Each structure stands twice: as structure tokens, then as C-alpha cells.
């Protein structure tokens, strides 16, 4: 067991990622029910609970989407069981309907949500600042800055949640989730899982009409109590310093601020906020009292900054608050130490001792020869094959292609450049509904199998109900590939899923709701797929093409487990006429060509043996190692 | 070895080369040696072939998960081109352990094909650029050594072996080998330890010619 540090009963120091540390914290808090939908940078939380599912007796499910995940854990909590969910920022958009109502109803046993923002859009469609969900929904939030704190906060969050009968959100950012470090764990004291009875719960959870109105008053009272508690929270920490300048910060901003002060050789007083909602207003006021300037260091929106300004006004403090409003820091992109050094320098009118721009310029001048390395489909990825066929099928047609969220989003990049729109999970169906009513073009949209179940179903039902002329491609690679190949409702049962789960067949769903034309194709069968696609485009009314093949990474894992060999392909140089079809239109990372004769070559350490390149090669020069090239026979 | 020995390391490469495992092995070693450590990791999405990096900061001096520009003591690059991409993090005269392997991105291959050119970016060109910042570059034929060890997938462990020869690196070979042993499947243990040793030995042919190394323990 490589992750023994998560399972060990006794306290120990171990190196782990914050995502793992939060799992450990939840296990130490005796969490009983977990339900998540994957999304970077939180996916390792789900993956870790999945990996450990046989070591503990908790109930774990990969939910169809974040809303279902949140409702699942809320239901468990109402029934008296500690429960946890995790999701990325945009996941909370999906779950927010339940989220707001759950504030009104309250919960019962500790119920914790880990919600990760992604400054810099490393793996998201937008830079959201999820902190505003706190005051908007009246739900308390904690924010760690490193793995040590992440473990501790999750564990404590269960207690806060239970004490106030409120969900508690752990708000993180990518640089916290994907930060590893040394964590001191505490003892694991797990109690056995035993089912309960609703009659023992003694509470109902609904919110409508007059009850909702009364709930609001109770909620305001609740938040006031939590705020009083947070005034003394050990997560809001002041480090003493010198002079009349202070720094107000939180999350990973605290780490950057500390290091930046060292570089700038200054030693200001620092208040690190660990409870972004409700804020410890008195503590912030006390901190600012006597200071002439406070520099606020936080990524994304000026949340702390505006609150600090309001608090300064309310408490009649004569302090200047410097941050984004005054232009010293940006609301866009993530920070690092140099950005914070320069921001503090600008705010305080001092000079940075290090010329970071100079260092960057020198490096950039050396990088002029550096080729781009854009994300691309893996060797053996079925999506590359599907898109190759779609590209052939739409030749000479006027088409609109609405993309969606998954590995296939990369159709946006060269060589495909095939995206007219891309918003959020499942959106391609809704957009197509609008476009198909007003455009003369063939309207196509694409979703993956996981996205199909997550958010595409209502859009598909809508297009059947209104008989819209839309062709939907469902790229069924058996897993939620982009986030790490998690299982979902359509994953075949023999993939080692926990027992008692049923696979839902996508074509059955489509036919069941009345899609008039449903075609199924093997993604690798590229030549024959062209006609299948044309036929679907010609069909009047909603049509669905399911392109099916295992994600290459997932497929390789199964092959290794079951002892099926992966036979790489090679190019028969003696007959290669060098049209570079396999290179120009295909972008498989296993391909290059030799400098001397320009013949294509396949790198065996990368090739996955899918053989799709062999099918598109016009001269039949590509063949599995150990076999003869098909083009050879033709020649003879 | 004390809590004061700090070391900033950038690890980079191409998705699928096992750099997360590499940093976990070092991190596990830090826990054993009672050293503080933290990382800033760009996992990318799960597809292979993209650029990825991990910043690793050993010692208790710094809190930021990302190393400021110009402060990394060493850069280990599992693919030659990628070293250039993250060069701004390395301090002047810092150490680079550089894989000899170049993985040409598909977009470069396609571009050259379209323009009927054959001038792929070459190892020596990259090294020349890196030399502007430092002479302390150790080229490592890591893929060959991994194959020699018995499995090309042990390429990442070759680098840990090489790193452990470096005197300024706060973890010694023994601790790192224990850490490797705890991190890889039992049946792959021997090939991984062999890869480690091959990397360690290779360091004495390149790295240790220019920078101070520990007294050679493995022959
Ligand atoms: C609301 C929301 N939740 C989660 C994500 C994270 N996410 C990005 S891609 C993706 C996977 C989609 O899987 P699938 O549609 O099967 O496509 P594949 O990657 O397998 O091709 C997910 C879950 C997101 N972007 N938005």
C-alpha cells in the first residue's frame, strides 16, 4: 500500500498532497459518506477515497454530477452521518441550487464541501472567486494555505458543521490542492458503520413559503453566532511585526506574502485569514488599529480588500488599504512570489531588490527556438480517430460545430481547429437548440460519455421534444478521461467497479427518449465511420452518433492487467512515399520523420498500437511490428 | 543533514514521464530525514504529451509552493526541450541534470513537414542556450540507462540516482533508495534500484566533473 500514511492508525509525519491531507482529515473525523464528481484540481480527493474504499467501511459514490453529489451527502448528513463532497469551482455552479436551499434547511451530522477555485484557468473555463458563495448563501467557509492546515481544517470543519447545523465549505485554490508537503497526522479512531432509522433523526428539512421566511431569520442568527466563534478561531492568525504597516492575506497568498517580505527585508504585522466567511470583523479592526497602511494580498477578486475598507469605515480607523483598487495587484491570474514582491513594492513605494523583469527577459530571449507543446490527444486516443472521420464527412457541407467539456475539447487546437463554441458541461446541446432554429447549416454538437450523464440529458430531451435538427456525437470512451479516467454511469461493469452498480447504456437512453436516428460506431474504424456520420447529418430531426472505444490510458491499464500485449506499429520505409498524411492531419505524438530521407517514423516508446494511422495511410506502409505492411502486397 | 539545509528544485518534463512519482519519492525521503518540504505542482490534465513541472522546496526557510525566478538550485529535466521552458527559475550557475532525450511535439513535426524542412530542434542547440545561464549541465542518457536497468519506465528513477550524487542535495542515496523501495511495486523493485544506481554512476561521468559531489559509494 503506497498510501500507508493515509491508513495508519497512529499519528505520523508524512509527505502528502493537500488533496490527500484533506482525505486524511475527513477519515480522522470519522466521515461515513462520500460522494463526488471529478474536476481538477479536486479529482485526487475522489480518487483517494476510491482507492481506499476497501480499507474502510465508508459509503463512497462517484455521482453523476456535483448537484447530485451535494444532495447525496446532505441526505446522509440529515440522516445523522458525517459526510463530505468535493468539487471544482464551476461544480458549485451546478450544485448551487441545492446549496442555497441547504443553508435554509440546515443539516444534521457534520457535512463538509471542498470547493476549489482555479486562478489562472489551469484547467477551468473561468477564474471564479467562490468566496462570494459564502455571504451569498450564508454558508461558513474555511481557507487553508498548505497541506498541514488543509488536514486540520477539514477535521475541524466537521465539528463546526455539527455545532451550527450548517454545511461548512473548505475553499481552496489550485496551488493549495496541488501542493504537497510534510503533514503531521492525528490518530484514526473509526467507529463501525451501522445503519440508522429516520425516526431517530427528529428533524425535518424543508424550506418553502412561510417556513422559508422563518428559516431566513434563523439563518441570520446562525451566521451571527458563527461569526462570534470565528473571532477567536485559531485559523485567523496574526504574526507580529514592526512599524505601522500591515499585510492582510489568506490562502496561498499568505505563503507568497511571507517569502516576499523576506526578499524585501521588511517585517510587517501580518493577519492571515482562515475564515473568509463570516469574517472576524473585530479581529480585522483590531489588527488595523494603529496601522497607517494595510496591503491586501489575495488572488482574484478584492474580497478581503473591500471588506477591510468597509470595516475600517465602520470602526472609524484612519488606515489606507492598498490592493487591487489602487492598481498594485491584478484581479486576473494567479500570483507568485515575484508578483507579490512587485505589488508590495508598488504599494509601499519601495524598490524591489531583484530585477525580476530582467530575469524573465533574459530567459525569454533564450527561448526563441523553443517549440510550443500544446495539449494533444494521447497516442491511441479514440477521439483523434473520431474527429478524423468527422472532418472527412463534413467536407463540402456548411456546418456548425459546438464543442463541450472533456478531452475532446482539444478539437479546438490544430490540426482540427473545429470549435465554434465551448462553454460549460452539456452546453453544446442548448446552444445547438438555439442555432438549429435560426441557421441553415447542419448543427452538430459533441459530448463525452461522462458529460452525457452529467448535464447533456436535459438538452437532448429538449431537442427530441421540439424535433430540432441537431446531430449529437457522444464520444464514449468508457470513463471520465480528462480528470483521470474515473468511472461513471456508463462504464462497463467489468472494470472493477464496486459491486451492485448497473451500467446505463447510452444508446438505450437515446432510443428510450425517442431519438429517431441512433448510430453506433467503433471509433477506430475510421474509413467506414465517414458514411455513418454523413447519414446522421442527412437525417431530419435529432440524431445521435455514439463513437465507442476505451480511452487509451484506461485501455492500456486493462491490457496490462489482463496480459493483453500492446503491439506497436512501424513504418515500412522502403515503400513510404512521404505524403505525411500521418503527420500533417493527425498529430499523433508517436510520429516524427527522419531528417535524412523524410520518411515517417513511429517512436515505439510512445506508440499505443491503435493502428488508426495504418488505416489513413494512402500507401499502406504502416503495420504492426512483426507483420508485413499491407502496401507491400499491392506493389507486387 | 539538518533542518537548515534548504534546496530548491524544479523538475520538468512531458506528461507520462512519471515526474509526480519522482517528486513523491523525494518528498518521502524528506519525511524520513525529518526535513520540511513543499511542492507546487502543475499536473496538467490527464492527457500525455503536455508540458509539466513540479517545484520542490526542501527546508523550512520558504513557504511559497512556487520558487521565485532565479532561485532554483537545480533543474532536472526529463526531456531536453522542457529545460529551456523553465529556465527563468534557475539561479545563475545552478545545476541542470538534462535528459539527452528530445521529444518533438506533434505541432513542431507537422510544421516542419508542411514547410518541407528537417531542422528539428537538437539537444546541442538547447544546451548552448542553457549554457548562457550555467556551465553546470549534466547530460544524462536516461532512457538508455532505464532500458539497461530493464524497463524504460524507470527513466525517472535514473534522475533520482544522479541527483543523490550532488553534495548540496540534502538527502543521501540510502534514504532515497528506501524511499524508492516504498514507492514502486514489489516486483519492479530490482529494476528501479538498478536504474537508481545507473543514474548515480552516470553522475560521476558528467555532473561531478563540474560540481561538488558526495564521496562515491556505488561502483
Ligand atoms: C461542472 C463541471 N464539473 C467538472 C468539470 C471538470 N471536467 C472537465 S473535463 C471533464 C470530463 C468529461 O468527461 P467526458 O465527457 O466523458 O469526456 P472525456 O474527457 O472522457 O473525453 C470534467 C469532469 C467541469 N469542467 N465542469
Amino acid at each position: 500500500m503506497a498510501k500507508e500514511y493515509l491508513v495508519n492508525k497512529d499519528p505520523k509525519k508524512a509527505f502528502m498532497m493537500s488533496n490527500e491531507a484533506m482525505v486524511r482529515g475527513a477519515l480522522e473525523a470519522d466521515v461515513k459518506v462520500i460522494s463526488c464528481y471529478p474536476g481538477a484540481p479536486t479529482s485526487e480527493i475522489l480518487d483517494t477515497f476510491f482507492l481506499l474504499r476497501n480499507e474502510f467501511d465508508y459509503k463512497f459514490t462517484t455521482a453523476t454530477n456535483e448537484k447530485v453529489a451535494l444532495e447525496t451527502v446532505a441526505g446522509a448528513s440529515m440522516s445523522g452521518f458525517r459526510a463530505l463532497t468535493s468539487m471544482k469551482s464551476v461544480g458549485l455552479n451546478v450544485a448551487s441550487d441545492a446549496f442555497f436551499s441547504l443553508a435554509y434547511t440546515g443539516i444534521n451530522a457534520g457535512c463538509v464541501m471542498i470547493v476549489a477555485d482555479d486562478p489562472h484557468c489551469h484547467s477551468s473555463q473561468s477564474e471564479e472567486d467562490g468566496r462570494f458563495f459564502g455571504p451569498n448563501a450564508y454558508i461558513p467557509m474555511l481557507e487553508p494555505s498548505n497541506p498541514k492546515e488543509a488536514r486540520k481544517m477539514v477535521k475541524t470543519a466537521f465539528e463546526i458543521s455539527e455545532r451550527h447545523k450548517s454545511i461548512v465549505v473548505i475553499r481552496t485554490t489550485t496551488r493549495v490542492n496541488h501542493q504537497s508537503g510534510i503533514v503531521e497526522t492525528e490518530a484514526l479512531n473509526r467507529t463501525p458503520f451501522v445503519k440508522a432509522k429516520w425516526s431517530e433523526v427528529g428533524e425535518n428539512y424543508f424550506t418553502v413559503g412561510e417556513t422559508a421566511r422563518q428559516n431566513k431569520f434563523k439563518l441570520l442568527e446562525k451566521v451571527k453566532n458563527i461569526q462570534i466563534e470565528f473571532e477567536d478561531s485559531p485559523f485567523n492568525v496574526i504574526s507580529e511585526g514592526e512599524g505601522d504597516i500591515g499585510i492582510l492575506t489568506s490562502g496561498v497568498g499568505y505563503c507568497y506574502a511571507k517569502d516576499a517580505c523576506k526578499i524585501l527585508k521588511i517585517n510587517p504585522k501580518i493577519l492571515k485569514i482562515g475564515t473568509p466567511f463570516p469574517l472576524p470583523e473585530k479581529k480585522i479592526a483590531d489588527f488595523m488599529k494603529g496601522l497607517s497602511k494595510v496591503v491586501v494580498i489575495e488572488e482574484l477578486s478584492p474580497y478581503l480588500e473591500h471588506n477591510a475598507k468597509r470595516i475600517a469605515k465602520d470602526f472609524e480607523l484612519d488606515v489606507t488599504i492598498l490592493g487591487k483598487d489602487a492598481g498594485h495587484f491584478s484581479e486576473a491570474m494567479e500570483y507568485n512570489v515575484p508578483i507579490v514582491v512587485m505589488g508590495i513594492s508598488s504599494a509601499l513605494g519601495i524598490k524591489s531588490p531583484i530585477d525580476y523583469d530582467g530575469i524573465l527577459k533574459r530567459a525569454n530571449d533564450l527561448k526563441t527556438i523553443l517549440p510550443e507543446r500544446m495539449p494533444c490527444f494521447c497516442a491511441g486516443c479514440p477521439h483523434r480517430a473520431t474527429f478524423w472521420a468527422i472532418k472527412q464527412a463534413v467536407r463540402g457541407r456548411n456546418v456548425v460545430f459546438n464543442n463541450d467539456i472533456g478531452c475532446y475539447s482539444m478539437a479546438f487546437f490544430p490540426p482540427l481547429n473545429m470549435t465554434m463554441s465551448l462553454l460549460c458541461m452539456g452546453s453544446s446541446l442548448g446552444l445547438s437548440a438555439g442555432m438549429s432554429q435560426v441557421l441553415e447549416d447542419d448543427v452538430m454538437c459533441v459530448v463525452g460519455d461522462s458529460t452525457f450523464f452529467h448535464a447533456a440529458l436535459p438538452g437532448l430531451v429538449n431537442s427530441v421534444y421540439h424535433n430540432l435538427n441537431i446531430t449529437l456525437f457522444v464520444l464514449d470512451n468508457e470513463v471520465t478521461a480528462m480528470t483521470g479516467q474515473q468511472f461513471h454511469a456508463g462504464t462497463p461493469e467489468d472494470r472493477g467497479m464496486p459491486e451492485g452498480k448497473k451500467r446505463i447504456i447510452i444508446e438505450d437512453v437515446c432510443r428510450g427518449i425517442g431519438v429517431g436516428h441512433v448510430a453506433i460506431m467503433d471509433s477506430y474504424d475510421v474509413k467506414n465511420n465517414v458514411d455513418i456520420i454523413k447519414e446522421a447529418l442527412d437525417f431530419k430531426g435529432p440524431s445521435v452518433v455514439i463513437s465507442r472505444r476505451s480511452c487509451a490510458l484506461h485501455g492500456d491499464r486493462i491490457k496490462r492487467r489482463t496480459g493483453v500485449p500492446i503491439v506497436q506499429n512501424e513504418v515500412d520505409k522502403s515503400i513510404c512515399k512521404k505524403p505525411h498524411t500521418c503527420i500533417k492531419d493527425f498529430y499523433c505524438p508517436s510520429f516524427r520523420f527522419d531528417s535524412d530521407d523524410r520518411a515517417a517514423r513511429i517512436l515505439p516508446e510512445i506508440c499505443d498500437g491503435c493502428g488508426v494511422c495504418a488505416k489513413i495511410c494512402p500507401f499502406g506502409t504502416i503495420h504492426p511490428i512483426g507483420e508485413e505492411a499491407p502496401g507491400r502486397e499491392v506493389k507486387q | 543533514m539538518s533542518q537548515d539545509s534548504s534546496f530548491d528544485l524544479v523538475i520538468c518534463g512531458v506528461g507520462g514521464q512519471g515526474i509526480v512519482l519522482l517528486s513523491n519519492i523525494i518528498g518521502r525521503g524528506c519525511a524520513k530525514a525529518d526535513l520540511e518540504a513543499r511542492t507546487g505542482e502543475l499536473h496538467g490534465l490527464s492527457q500525455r504529451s503536455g508540458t509539466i513541472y513540479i517545484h520542490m522546496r526542501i527546508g523550512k526557510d520558504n513557504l511559497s509552493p512556487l520558487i521565485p525566478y532565479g532561485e532554483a538550485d537545480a533543474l532536472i529535466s526529463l526531456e531536453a526541450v522542457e529545460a529551456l521552458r523553465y529556465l527563468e527559475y534557475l539561479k545563475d550557475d545552478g545545476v541542470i541534470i538534462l535528459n539527452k532525450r528530445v521529444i518533438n511535439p506533434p505541432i513542431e513535426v507537422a510544421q516542419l513537414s508542411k514547410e518541407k524542412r528537417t531542422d528539428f530542434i537538437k539537444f546541442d542547440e538547447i544546451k548552448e542556450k542553457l549554457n548562457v545561464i550555467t556551465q553546470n549541465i549534466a547530460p544524462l542518457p536516461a532512457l538508455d540507462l532505464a532500458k539497461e536497468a530493464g524497463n524504460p519506465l524507470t527513466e525517472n528513477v535514473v534522475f533520482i540516482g544522479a541527483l543523490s550524487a550532488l553534495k548540496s542535495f540534502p538527502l543521501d542515496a540510502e534514504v532515497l533508495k528506501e524511499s524508492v523501495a516504498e514507492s514502486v511495486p514489489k516486483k519492479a523493485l530490482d529494476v528501479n534500484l538498478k536504474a537508481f544506481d545507473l543514474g548515480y554512476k552516470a553522475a560521476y561521468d558528467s555532473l561531478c566533473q563540474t560540481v561538488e559531489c558526495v564521496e562515491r559509494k556505488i561502483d
Side-chain angles (χ1 to χ4, degrees):
Chain A
M1 162 64 43
K3 294 199 194 283
E4 80 291 342
Y5 47 84
L6 297 177
V7 181
N8 278 340
K9 279 213 162 53
D10 300 324
K12 218 183 156 189
K13 268 190 185 179
F15 179 80
M16 63 182 87
M17 201 197 302
S18 287
N19 279 343
E20 294 175 318
M22 290 192 278
V23 169
R24 174 74 194 199
L27 289 170
E28 288 170 5
D30 206 18
V31 68
K32 288 290 184 243
V33 177
I34 301 109
S35 184
C36 317
Y37 184 76
T42 63
S43 306
E44 297 84 3
I45 298 170
L46 181 163
D47 292 342
T48 305
F49 277 118
F50 180 77
L51 184 81
L52 302 180
R53 69 195 185 281
N54 296 325
E55 308 281 332
F56 299 99
D57 59 2
Y58 53 67
K59 303 284 173 198
F60 167 85
T61 49
T62 313
T64 29
N65 66 29
E66 293 85 352
K67 180 169 182 284
V68 176
L70 173 58
E71 290 155 353
T72 302
V73 298
S77 158
M78 289 169 181
S79 311
F81 291 78
R82 286 191 167 186
L84 175 138
T85 181
S86 65
M87 60 194 66
K88 68 184 296 169
S89 56
V90 291
L92 180 49
N93 297 347
V94 174
S96 61
D97 206 359
F99 184 73
F100 281 82
S101 294
L102 280 165
Y104 275 57
T105 63
I107 45 81
N108 180 3
C111 190
V112 174
M113 292 174 76
I114 300 167
V115 183
D117 285 340
D118 188 19
H120 223 84
C121 298
H122 287 292
S123 46
S124 312
Q125 310 97 281
S126 60
E127 276 189 330
E128 260 187 53
D129 196 325
R131 291 177 296 179
F132 293 95
F133 272 111
N136 200 356
Y138 301 95
I139 289 204
M141 265 184 190
L142 305 179
E143 180 174 17
S145 55
N146 60 43
K148 279 189 181 64
E149 253 180 15
R151 182 202 63 83
K152 180 84 192 143
M153 280 189 181
V154 167
K155 192 170 178 181
T156 311
F158 280 97
E159 291 155 20
I160 298 171
S161 168
E162 239 152 58
R163 198 156 45 239
H164 297 282
K165 301 289 174 206
S166 167
I167 286 178
V168 174
V169 169
I170 306 288
R171 189 262 182 170
T172 56
T173 56
T174 302
R175 289 294 172 201
V176 174
N177 293 85
H178 285 169
Q179 185 187 145
S180 299
I182 307 288
V183 173
E184 286 158 56
T185 61
E186 291 178 73
L188 269 191
N189 293 311
R190 307 273 309 165
T191 59
F193 181 91
V194 186
K195 279 200 174 179
K197 287 198 177 69
W198 182 257
S199 58
E200 292 159 6
V201 173
E203 232 3 287
N204 285 325
Y205 299 88
F206 65 90
T207 183
V208 67
E210 184 51 24
T211 316
R213 286 187 282 275
Q214 291 309 317
N215 282 345
K216 177 73 184 270
F217 289 110
K218 282 193 219 151
L219 184 53
L220 294 175
E221 195 59 34
K222 193 186 271 190
V223 167
K224 203 182 275 167
N225 290 332
I226 300 174
Q227 180 168 41
I228 292 167
E229 186 179 314
F230 281 1
E231 289 288 353
D232 297 317
S233 165
F235 298 133
N236 298 315
V237 195
I238 293 182
S239 17
E240 289 304 333
E242 298 148 9
D244 62 350
I245 288 167
I247 287 180
L248 177 65
T249 183
S250 67
V252 73
Y254 170 74
C255 307
Y256 301 144
K258 276 290 227 189
D259 288 3
C261 288
K262 225 167 52 192
I263 290 170
L264 289 163
K265 298 197 171 56
I266 55 173
N267 184 21
K269 202 172 159 190
I270 300 178
L271 171 55
K272 172 187 181 301
I273 296 293
T275 65
F277 185 79
L279 283 169
E281 303 201 349
K282 271 207 211 67
K283 184 154 201 161
I284 295 174
D286 285 346
F287 167 77
M288 294 196 292
K289 208 171 285 165
L291 295 177
S292 68
K293 288 177 185 168
V294 168
V295 182
V296 187
I297 298 168
E298 57 182 330
E299 291 173 319
L300 303 178
S301 304
Y303 173 83
L304 292 179
E305 183 178 333
H306 287 179
N307 274 294
K309 283 183 175 169
R310 177 180 55 78
I311 293 166
K313 208 164 173 216
D314 289 351
F315 285 79
E316 294 175 354
L317 301 176
D318 185 18
V319 55
T320 311
I321 291 161
L322 299 161
K324 299 171 208 260
D325 288 345
H328 304 297
F329 289 93
S330 170
E331 294 187 35
M333 316 263 253
E334 68 172 4
Y335 292 177
N336 56 25
V337 175
I339 288 175
V340 172
V341 166
M342 291 189 281
I344 297 176
S345 305
S346 150
L348 300 181
I350 52 178
K351 200 173 172 308
S352 161
I354 303 174
D355 175 17
Y356 289 114
D357 289 333
I359 298 178
L360 278 179
K361 180 171 184 318
R362 184 177 62 164
N364 287 337
D365 287 347
L366 294 170
K367 290 184 195 182
T368 46
I369 59 165
L370 187 65
E372 268 189 283
R373 199 184 292 279
M374 293 203 253
C376 76
F377 298 125
C378 301
C381 177
H383 296 344
R384 176 185 292 104
T386 303
F387 283 117
W388 189 88
I390 295 177
K391 203 112 202 189
Q392 311 305 310
V394 300
R395 259 203 195 126
R397 285 174 187 258
N398 292 323
V399 293
V400 174
F401 185 79
N402 293 314
N403 206 334
D404 217 292
I405 307 285
C407 285
Y408 46 89
S409 298
M410 291 188 295
F412 168 76
F413 292 119
L416 293 160
N417 305 313
M418 248 174 83
T419 296
M420 279 95 178
S421 75
L422 191 161
L423 296 183
C424 58
M425 289 185 78
S427 63
S428 64
L429 278 136
L431 291 177
S432 298
M435 293 179 187
S436 68
Q437 295 178 57
V438 296
L439 296 177
E440 286 181 353
D441 310 65
D442 290 333
V443 177
M444 312 191 293
C445 50
V446 62
V447 299
D449 42 354
S450 190
T451 300
F452 179 82
F453 294 112
H454 177 286
L457 277 172
L460 185 60
V461 169
N462 179 68
S463 62
V464 173
Y465 175 47
H466 298 292
N467 195 31
L468 300 174
N469 202 15
I470 294 171
T471 300
L472 169 68
F473 293 89
V474 183
L475 306 195
D476 180 3
N477 57 6
E478 302 182 341
V479 286
T480 311
M482 196 167 211
T483 49
Q485 303 107 50
Q486 292 83 6
F487 296 154
H488 59 66
T491 305
E493 281 112 337
D494 64 0
R495 294 296 192 261
M497 291 201 273
E499 279 172 31
K501 304 210 171 163
K502 184 175 162 51
R503 175 188 185 191
I504 295 162
I505 314 280
I506 294 171
E507 53 271 35
D508 290 354
V509 175
C510 296
R511 291 190 187 113
I513 60 176
V515 176
H517 181 96
V518 179
I520 300 157
M521 63 193 202
D522 174 354
S523 315
Y524 284 174
D525 192 8
V526 278
K527 287 271 161 85
N528 292 323
N529 290 347
V530 176
D531 284 339
I532 295 178
I533 295 166
K534 282 184 183 161
E535 206 182 318
L537 289 175
D538 288 338
F539 183 81
K540 294 282 165 262
S543 57
V544 173
V545 178
I546 299 165
S547 184
R548 182 165 285 149
R549 253 299 160 165
S550 262
C551 156
L553 301 183
H554 175 65
D556 285 356
R557 212 170 299 137
I558 294 168
K559 282 181 198 150
R560 277 197 294 276
R561 199 172 62 215
T562 53
V564 176
I566 297 168
V567 183
Q568 280 82 21
N569 288 285
E570 64 184 358
V571 178
D572 187 335
K573 276 190 155 206
S574 66
I575 51 171
C576 174
K577 295 210 171 78
K578 304 156 199 170
H580 286 188
T581 312
C582 53
I583 290 171
K584 282 186 203 139
D585 306 326
F586 209 56
Y587 277 43
C588 173
S590 70
F591 271 90
R592 57 167 292 163
F593 58 90
D594 287 327
S595 297
D596 47 359
D597 59 2
R598 298 190 78 255
R601 182 155 59 86
I602 297 174
L603 303 173
E605 59 273 11
I606 300 179
C607 176
D608 190 55
C610 71
V612 174
C613 53
K615 292 175 185 154
I616 63 160
C617 172
F619 302 106
T621 59
I622 301 174
H623 60 93
I625 292 175
E627 288 177 30
E628 184 133 302
R632 263 191 183 274
E633 293 164 34
V634 180
K635 212 175 156 194
Q636 282 152 11
Chain B
M1 220 184 303
S2 73
Q3 269 290 32
D4 297 329
S5 38
S6 79
F7 195 89
D8 282 348
L9 175 69
V10 174
I11 310 166
C12 62
V14 175
Q17 289 193 295
I19 80 164
V20 174
L21 178 66
L22 198 166
S23 74
N24 280 340
I25 289 172
I26 298 174
R28 192 177 266 269
C30 291
K32 283 178 186 298
D34 206 18
L35 290 170
E36 272 298 327
R38 67 195 48 74
T39 68
E41 314 177 7
L42 180 83
H43 285 206
L45 293 159
S46 74
Q47 310 92 16
R48 302 272 163 86
S49 321
T51 172
I52 57 172
Y53 68 78
I54 293 183
H55 287 200
M56 178 135 211
R57 313 194 80 182
I58 302 174
K60 63 175 165 37
D61 294 349
N62 298 302
L63 294 186
S64 159
L66 297 175
I67 301 169
Y69 308 131
E71 282 196 23
D73 297 288
L75 173 65
I76 60 182
S77 194
L78 274 69
E79 194 276 343
V81 174
E82 293 310 302
L84 193 50
R85 201 177 307 280
Y86 301 106
L87 192 58
E88 60 270 30
Y89 292 103
L90 190 69
K91 66 181 186 193
D92 286 9
D93 302 321
V95 169
I96 304 180
I97 306 180
L98 186 64
N99 202 348
K100 283 194 161 170
R101 180 173 173 201
V102 174
I103 301 175
N104 301 100
I107 189 156
E108 184 199 3
V109 182
Q111 196 67 29
L112 291 181
S113 162
K114 276 175 203 155
E115 295 169 11
K116 302 240 179 295
R117 286 160 49 196
T118 56
D119 49 331
F120 288 99
I121 189 163
K122 286 189 198 62
F123 179 85
D124 289 339
E125 271 176 275
I126 297 161
K127 185 160 172 290
E128 194 182 305
K129 297 285 182 192
L130 301 177
N131 274 335
V132 174
I133 308 290
T134 178
Q135 295 301 317
N136 300 324
I137 300 178
L140 196 65
L143 186 60
D144 293 341
L145 294 175
K147 283 179 185 162
E148 188 184 329
N151 188 341
L153 293 177
T154 59
E155 203 180 12
N156 50 359
V157 174
V158 172
F159 280 89
I160 304 180
L163 193 62
S164 71
L166 195 65
K167 182 126 192 238
S168 57
F169 189 64
L171 294 173
D172 64 31
E174 285 314 305
V175 174
L176 285 167
K177 281 173 111 168
E178 266 178 47
S179 184
V180 169
E182 290 169 13
S183 306
V184 302
K186 278 229 160 49
K187 60 177 198 270
L189 180 58
D190 288 346
V191 280
N192 276 287
L193 292 180
K194 192 156 178 217
F196 185 98
D197 287 349
L198 288 171
Y200 180 87
K201 284 189 245 176
Y204 286 89
D205 299 332
S206 53
L207 184 66
C208 307
Q209 309 288 322
T210 57
V211 286
E212 206 180 343
C213 284
V214 293
E215 200 183 319
R216 186 163 178 166
K217 285 186 218 128
I218 308 166
D219 286 307

